[in-house]
Amino acid sequence: QVQLVEFGGGLVQAGGSLSVSCAASGNIFSRNTMGWYRQAPGKQRELVASITSGGNTNYADSVKGRFTISRDNSKYTVYLQMNSLKPEDTAVYYCNKIPPFYAGGMPVWGKGTLVTVSS
């Protein structure tokens, strides 16, 4: 079974913090580099953070120093801690492996979790 479930989003004021989580099925999570992506209204989905199975991380310049990605390999779960949030961080946040998981020729995504940062 293929599953990606993101949760933990919400409304936060600029400068605040929020943590989102993603539970993935084993066939997506195991031994794969996982990432957090986001899609703001009217914009393309972008990768903001990634973490290898061994724990090496990488971040987009726009979130470097503010966001922290982590994973629990025993729970097939990946986390994103977001600090010093800005209104431009407002987006639907998704997790997936890198590159994204495909089934039947189509990328598989969860429903995402909405993060709204008010100014």
Side-chain angles (χ1 to χ4, degrees):
Q1 182 179 2
V2 175
Q3 189 174 20
L4 289 161
V5 180
E6 300 92 352
F7 49 96
L11 174 64
V12 62
Q13 287 188 332
S17 298
L18 200 63
S19 179
V20 292
S21 305
C22 170
S25 52
N27 56 349
I28 295 177
F29 190 94
S30 296
R31 297 185 296 278
N32 287 317
T33 296
M34 294 295 295
W36 278 99
Y37 303 74
R38 69 185 181 187
Q39 187 166 18
K43 295 188 177 181
Q44 289 190 334
R45 195 168 306 187
E46 62 174 345
L47 177 67
V48 297
S50 65
I51 184 167
T52 68
S53 58
N56 293 318
T57 59
N58 200 17
Y59 299 92
D61 288 343
S62 58
V63 307
K64 198 172 294 184
R66 301 188 297 120
F67 289 12
T68 302
I69 188 172
S70 59
R71 64 191 286 165
D72 186 333
N73 291 335
S74 67
K75 297 181 179 179
Y76 296 161
T77 300
V78 61
Y79 308 93
L80 186 68
Q81 175 65 42
M82 302 179 286
N83 298 327
S84 302
L85 283 161
K86 305 175 181 180
E88 52 262 44
D89 295 317
T90 294
V92 179
Y93 285 72
Y94 303 87
C95 74
N96 210 324
K97 74 177 192 70
I98 298 172
F101 186 89
Y102 272 69
M106 295 292 293
V108 175
W109 294 95
K111 294 182 179 180
T113 187
L114 176 63
V115 173
T116 304
V117 185
S118 63
S119 57

